Amino acid sequence: MSFFEARKAAANVAMMIVTGAAALLTVGVLLFILGYLVWHGAHSLNWGFFTELPAPVGETGGGMANAIVGSGKALAFATLVGMPVGFLGGVYLSEYASSGAAFVLRYVTDLLNGVPSIVIGIVAYALVVKRMGHFSTMAGGIALGVMMIPIAVRSTEEYLHSVPRMLREGGLALGRPKWRVIATIVIPAALSGIISGVMLDLARVAGETAPLLFTALNNQYWSNGWSQPTATLPVMIFTYAISPYPDWHRQAWAAGFVLLMVVLVVNVVARLVLARKRHVVVG
Amino acid sequence: MGMTESRPGFLGRLRSGDGIARAVVLLAAVLILLITAVILGELIVQSKLSRHEFGWRFLVTSTWDPVAGEFGALPFIYGTVVTSALALVMAVPLGVASAIFLAELAPRRLSDALTFLIELLAAVPSVLYGLLGIFVLVPILQDHLVPLLKSWLGFLPIFAGAFYGVSYFSAGVVLSVMVVPFIVSVSREVLLAVPREQREASLALGANRWQTTRRVVLHYAARGILGSIFLALARALGETMAVTMVIGNAPRISKSLLAPGYSIAAVIANEFTEATGELYLSALIELGLVLFAVTFVINGLARLLVIATVRKGGAPS
Amino acid sequence: MKKMVFPFAFASVLWSATVCAQTLVTGAGATFPYPIYSKWFNTYHKLHPQVQLNYQSIGSGGGIKQATEGTVDFGASDGPMNEKQLAEFAQKRGGQALHFPTVLGADVPTYNIPGIKAALNFTPAALAGIFLGHITKWDDPEIAKHNPGVALPKKDIVVVHRSDGSGTTYVWVDYLSKVSPEWKSKVGVGTSVNWPVGLGGKGNEGVAGLIRQTAYSIGYVELIYAVQNKLSYGKVRNQAGKFIAADLASVTAAAAGAAKSMPDDFRVSITNAPSAAAYPISSFTWLLIPSKIADAKKRQILVDFLKWMLHDGQKLTEALSYAPLPAVVVAKEEKAIGLITP
């Protein structure tokens, strides 16, 4: 082997080692993070966490029952706000828009996607909280819903787009109106993708804290209805984590665990939904 | 899309339901445009007071004095840029190298499994990274890593001064961990999109894996990888919670990375609900506008770059 | 199945009746009195299950702002609203922002010096110097001179202050402005100031947290936060020349003089009080209640709560290291409650 060839071979080996090490480090760090969150969080859980309301400041005990429900309510409202608009927008982009209109809508959707979450919070405060005259679950839900829209649009469009033209043309050839073809043929064909997109979208906004700071505020009690301030898991984690009370720290970890589990489970299920459908369509 | 509607004529379309369907989806599209316009509009309108008061000076003044009514964005812009740059310096080599391994070297199933895991981490909420930052990272930095760093590189001005745990450096490390999954995921996709013919041709000419990767694959994928970096940058710039929990909340500019600092998103999160006085609030909103403008540009560049590469990669369009 | 319907319907009507009969009153503001307010609102809720007083400690600045915007039903602050803020409130909400003192508390200089548990003595010059950034080491003569026998380390002082708009800050800088002309001209007084040095923590909780985990740090927190978190806090030399530690007696002494000459709107500063036994960085803290409350239920709740607070509530303060209000002030406040109208 000439010197040149030896150098090539050495570089080859070096590359394998370096990139392999990098991948190992990346995966290692990320595994550590997941593992630590899971271990420490699970350790910090107790039954009271799920059933009790927060205790007064400085006292130990209490839980985040209201925050769990509050998060659920805010996300439900967000889905109600964000999903229809995002889904229908995606349908428009994929099935109806002219190329000029599509370009504009995609551009604007990208713009919306790029708005930092804290800025969404500011605008939701100015437009919803101030107008309504109080902080509320609804305001939080609107902020989160707006954040859901761009991803819903993009993923709906992507999955509708991937439905083969043949299916559409077949339906139209049978004399069906366009909307029927879309509703009964195209959308169902893309359904698993759309559903998985919704789930991923939801999992993403479930952990958002910044938009909730100025909209849902927080609440020691159960929040009734939609127009009262409410406790939510991310805000509680933030508040408790930066406090000096060890019991609050424990509860922050517990809440982190719950939030993480929800997000991870939804993510995994979403991907499974997608994977399963892929196998079916290929045939 | 090549699909025409069933019955021609406006009434025809209406009767068949197509008119309504079209109207509904058009409404959704218009709503999206409206929402975005309103957000942008609010930012511009509410920051008017501050913009008129300070003009372009706002971007280069470093005083943030609510008592005197003097507001300058420089410390926050500096902190945002420094922490994001630091994050990239750490995440890019790690992320791109990992992506190369996963795309070129690892067996497909291992690669898929690891990628799945890494993408799962992109889903971890940022407040949890903040939690880890405060309770795990900062103590590790304080007790082990930073003393080591200072003993080797303490002579450098960027590592000068005392370390209190909360700092630009801590925020940079947390951010780098948060953006690595994006870089790995997108870079890997981009690398996989490089057509096999290119690789095979290179190998046929006698190049080995390393040369093929370096000269051919990376060259091809460079724009896409750059796009992934911009994507990561946009994420880092807008990150609020994890940063505010470990950066130190000090509106000052320091040469040392070990000093406490502030970022745009963090100051808005901390001071927004209590900004009394119209000018104070307006200044904070102007900061929001600045952040939005920057992330918009970066996102736009990212999208262009990623699309350019994936399309070029020969995916059937 | 049919047999179950009636009891179920009855139960759900009953449930919704009780639940819907609850009234939520939301307040936000100071972290200074958060422990006692949290205790009060929790206790009051147990006494009156229909009433939910939801208090969020977002800082005095936040309390003033949100009360002015009307997004909360009442605010709380340890920095009294200034003329400009009062005018803004009157313009946006109509009526005035009534200040009701609730308890007396103290800002203490709290620190984390490994190995030193004793209460250090701080002169006004020492505190001003530290927070201005002039005094940078723990063994500085200005500190060492007044702490003979304490082995102060030759380490850098890490200053911690508030990153959010705070009444605790207001009290602290109000005091510093009175004892240091340089502070007064260079930094001034407010709920948010341009700090010459230091790290920022969010809320009293955040500052206490930072001090706890940062060696050689010093900051200012309300007394109960230092106590609850077992942080060391120092004595401060008052106007009469004595080094006084913050406690119920010294804080009450600081208020004694002011109580007699309490202005009608209750906005008074008691920092740097002249009395020999007074702790110099004491303060009242106020609930900010709008004088015009349209919602009859909420108005009644707030009026009832204030009355409870002035008597039964005052009995709970000492356990949390807050001093109760002087009797003279209580009497005056009871009259002021009458100013709350529809």
Side-chain angles (χ1 to χ4, degrees), chain B residues 63-67 134 138 142 162 164 166 248-250 252 260 262 269-271 273-278 280-281, chain C residues 58 61-62 64-66 85 88 92 158 163-165 187 189 192-200 202 210 213-214:
Chain B
T63 322
W64 187 261
D65 192 341
V67 172
I134 295 182
V138 165
Q142 264 181 313
Y164 310 124
V166 290
N249 303 331
R252 282 188 295 283
Y262 228 153
N270 278 326
E271 300 192 4
T273 46
E274 58 209 31
T276 41
E278 296 303 320
Y280 193 177
L281 195 64
Chain C
I58 62 177
I64 295 175
K65 171 79 179 160
Q66 299 309 321
Q85 289 163 339
E88 200 187 337
K92 286 193 171 153
V158 184
S163 62
D164 51 328
V187 186
V189 186
S192 250
V193 298
N194 190 11
W195 296 94
V197 290
L199 312 172
K202 193 163 170 52
L210 265 180
Q213 62 195 62
T214 312

Side-chain angles (χ1 to χ4, degrees), chain B residues 102-288:
Chain B
L102 290 172
E104 306 292 313
L105 296 173
R108 191 53 189 256
R109 292 189 62 184
L110 180 67
S111 172
D112 282 346
L114 290 180
T115 309
F116 179 74
L117 206 64
I118 291 175
E119 285 179 354
L120 221 50
L121 266 119
V124 173
S126 64
V127 70
L128 296 185
Y129 279 107
L131 200 60
L132 281 165
I134 295 182
F135 294 117
V136 178
L137 181 70
V138 165
I140 291 181
L141 287 178
Q142 264 181 313
D143 298 334
H144 305 288
L145 280 179
V146 171
L148 207 63
L149 195 66
K150 281 182 81 82
S151 67
W152 289 343
L153 299 171
F155 59 92
L156 290 172
I158 54 169
F159 292 126
F163 180 65
Y164 310 124
V166 290
S167 62
Y168 294 111
F169 188 66
S170 314
V173 172
V174 173
L175 280 177
S176 75
V177 176
M178 290 177 76
V179 301
V180 154
F182 288 96
I183 296 181
V184 171
S185 171
V186 176
S187 295
R188 178 181 169 267
E189 252 184 65
V190 158
L191 286 168
L192 287 175
V194 172
R196 276 172 79 196
E197 300 85 51
Q198 297 285 332
R199 282 194 190 79
E200 284 167 4
S202 168
L203 290 170
L205 287 171
N208 65 13
R209 279 305 242 326
W210 160 240
Q211 289 175 311
T212 306
T213 306
R214 205 186 80 186
R215 298 240 170 107
V216 177
V217 178
L218 280 180
H219 180 75
Y220 219 87
R223 251 182 285 178
I225 294 180
L226 198 61
S228 82
I229 296 175
F230 276 115
L231 219 73
L233 180 60
R235 174 96 163 84
L237 290 172
E239 180 48 48
T240 314
M241 304 317 296
V243 171
T244 186
M245 287 158 100
V246 298
I247 198 171
N249 303 331
R252 282 188 295 283
I253 299 179
S254 310
K255 264 184 295 204
S256 170
L257 291 176
L258 301 179
Y262 228 153
S263 76
I264 296 178
V267 71
I268 296 176
N270 278 326
E271 300 192 4
F272 187 73
T273 46
E274 58 209 31
T276 41
E278 296 303 320
L279 188 61
Y280 193 177
L281 195 64
S282 183
L284 284 170
I285 295 184
E286 193 181 344
L287 277 177

Side-chain angles (χ1 to χ4, degrees), chain A residues 43-187:
Chain A
H43 240 64
S44 312
L45 272 182
N46 60 13
W47 199 235
F49 179 84
F50 292 102
T51 53
E52 295 174 29
L53 293 177
V57 175
E59 294 178 21
T60 55
M64 292 200 196
N66 58 344
I68 295 174
V69 171
S71 268
K73 282 168 71 175
L75 286 171
F77 199 91
T79 312
L80 224 67
V81 165
M83 277 326 296
V85 175
F87 174 71
L88 290 172
V91 170
Y92 174 74
L93 215 51
S94 168
E95 310 294 321
Y96 288 91
S98 66
S99 68
F103 176 77
V104 169
L105 187 58
R106 261 190 220 111
Y107 183 86
V108 170
T109 306
D110 254 356
L111 198 67
L112 187 58
N113 196 35
V115 179
S117 61
I118 189 84
V119 171
I120 302 243
I122 303 178
V123 175
Y125 172 81
L127 294 176
V128 183
V129 175
K130 271 174 86 164
R131 295 278 163 86
M132 278 177 73
H134 47 254
F135 297 96
S136 62
T137 311
M138 195 182 334
I142 291 177
L144 293 178
V146 166
M147 290 187 72
M148 286 180 80
I149 291 176
I151 300 180
V153 169
R154 204 186 292 168
S155 91
T156 304
E157 188 209 351
E158 192 187 308
Y159 289 112
L160 286 177
H161 196 75
S162 72
V163 172
R165 268 222 259 164
M166 277 188 334
L167 263 70
R168 286 184 188 82
E169 287 170 0
L172 288 172
L174 290 170
R176 301 248 187 293
K178 175 171 169 176
W179 72 269
R180 262 203 121 156
V181 172
I182 297 176
T184 59
I185 299 178
V186 183
I187 290 176

